[in-house]
Amino acid sequence: PRLLSQFFFADERMTRVVAEINRLDAELDPQQYLVLLNQLHLSQAHLLAVLERIMEECVPTQRHSRDYLVKFPEELLVDNLGNHMLFAAECLLAGTFLEMEEVDGVQLQTQARNLLCSLELVRTVLREQSLSQPSSYPEPIRSVLIQFDHLFAEFELSYVSSLVVVKSPEEIYRQQEIIVLFCETVERALHLGYLTQEMIDGYEPLLMFTIPRLAIISGLLIYPEGPLSLEQSPEQMSQVFSPFYNLLKKIRDLLRVLSADELCLLERSLCTAE
């Protein structure tokens, strides 16, 4: 059950796979080479997972902030992102620039080298500690872990920023405004009887359509100064809604001619229509 012992065996497994890959002639046996690469990927992911738990146990308050992750596109926020980062660092160090300009890759090589060297140091000191005192983390080990964590976070942010356009603080704020709008829409819909708490607690699938529809009406009529304000330019709106700027103006103009009863009837119909 001790994490250092788990790390030792995870490290042993990864070392064995690397040794097998180094002994294999990939051109003579490409299928086996692919099998070993997959095993390396899995063993490395397991090693990182154990290392993550060790850092949470050993230096939980000294870790580098991961607040920058909110800037990343959601499709990048996968469970094995860390493993992808190590693979990217290895490729950069080998001179392979995946999906990026060579000039950007060259600039990242120093960070990649520092990260991989730090990981090797972490592996060495944790292996030694697991064989001597697997239940304690002396200060030198804590320092090595903190350094690795900081280097990893810095490389992750730099690498992803070189590949995709990360969200600006302004865009993050706009998305937070949309979250508030959706919350207020749900509260209003509950108050007016359009939705029930049972539907929300039971994750009623229809809500995936109902809440955004009601939020558009709320954003255009009930909270016109919010994230759907059409007094601002499309560039000032969240990327979620800016492509539909002209359509939203047409919807707003149509909504403005409705009476209170007609608006209520429309909103109720949006809660049932598929």
Side-chain angles (χ1 to χ4, degrees):
R2 291 176 295 193
L3 289 177
L4 280 175
S5 298
Q6 294 179 32
F7 184 88
F8 177 85
F9 289 108
D11 188 76
E12 282 280 285
R13 188 178 303 112
M14 194 172 87
T15 301
R16 286 198 302 270
V17 175
V18 171
E20 289 185 49
I21 290 177
N22 290 336
R23 289 195 300 266
L24 184 69
D25 189 328
E27 294 184 357
L28 293 178
D29 197 348
Q31 185 173 359
Q32 179 61 17
Y33 181 70
L34 292 177
V35 170
L36 289 175
L37 278 182
N38 183 60
Q39 291 180 8
L40 177 61
H41 177 81
L42 295 175
S43 62
Q44 190 176 58
H46 179 57
L47 183 76
L48 285 178
V50 177
L51 180 56
E52 176 72 19
R53 292 168 59 195
I54 289 176
M55 289 190 291
E56 280 299 306
E57 180 178 87
C58 182
V59 289
T61 61
Q62 296 169 280
R63 302 197 59 182
H64 193 289
S65 170
R66 294 305 197 275
D67 289 348
Y68 60 81
L69 290 174
V70 301
K71 298 181 177 182
F72 290 2
E74 291 185 4
E75 59 270 18
L76 293 183
L77 300 178
V78 294
D79 291 338
N80 56 349
L81 180 60
N83 211 24
H84 289 313
M85 290 301 103
L86 285 187
F87 178 71
E90 292 164 351
C91 289
L92 287 171
L93 206 57
T96 302
F97 310 112
L98 299 175
E99 301 179 343
M100 68 169 54
E101 298 294 332
E102 183 174 347
V103 62
D104 295 328
V106 171
Q107 292 177 349
L108 285 171
Q109 280 183 321
T110 299
Q111 281 186 293
R113 181 181 296 105
N114 292 339
L115 173 60
L116 294 176
C117 289
S118 178
L119 176 60
E120 286 305 307
L121 180 58
V122 166
R123 291 177 63 187
T124 298
V125 298
L126 289 185
R127 281 174 63 92
E128 292 175 353
Q129 185 68 16
S130 67
L131 293 172
S132 57
Q133 294 178 300
S135 299
S136 64
Y137 301 100
E139 183 56 36
I141 286 184
R142 296 165 62 87
S143 298
V144 168
L145 289 172
I146 293 171
Q147 180 188 42
F148 170 75
D149 187 54
H150 282 237
L151 289 173
F152 194 102
E154 291 168 0
F155 176 78
E156 185 173 53
L157 177 58
S158 299
Y159 181 79
V160 174
S161 298
S162 69
L163 290 181
V164 298
V165 178
V166 298
K167 300 172 186 174
S168 66
E170 293 76 18
E171 177 61 21
I172 294 172
Y173 178 74
R174 295 187 193 111
Q175 291 191 357
Q176 290 174 337
E177 283 190 314
I178 294 174
I179 293 172
V180 173
L181 172 63
F182 273 54
C183 292
E184 292 177 337
T185 296
V186 170
E187 184 177 354
R188 176 173 173 269
L190 288 171
H191 176 70
L192 295 175
Y194 298 154
L195 306 176
T196 66
Q197 190 63 48
E198 289 73 19
M199 295 172 66
I200 296 174
D201 294 340
Y203 301 100
E204 173 63 43
L206 184 60
L207 296 180
M208 295 177 62
F209 302 97
T210 298
I211 294 176
R213 291 167 175 171
L214 294 177
I216 290 175
I217 294 179
S218 295
L220 294 174
L221 291 185
I222 313 302
Y223 311 107
E225 304 301 321
L228 285 184
S229 171
L230 297 178
E231 300 305 317
Q232 58 188 337
S233 66
E235 292 74 21
Q236 294 173 306
M237 298 181 71
S238 169
Q239 297 173 4
V240 175
F241 291 112
S242 58
F244 310 104
Y245 185 82
N246 292 329
L247 177 59
L248 289 171
K249 291 184 70 173
K250 294 179 180 179
I251 294 175
R252 182 195 61 182
D253 294 341
L254 290 172
L255 291 174
R256 281 177 171 176
V257 303
L258 298 179
S259 66
D261 289 340
E262 289 171 333
L263 179 62
C264 179
L265 181 61
L266 172 63
E267 289 185 306
R268 287 191 178 278
S269 67
L270 292 178
C271 294
T272 57
E274 297 183 0

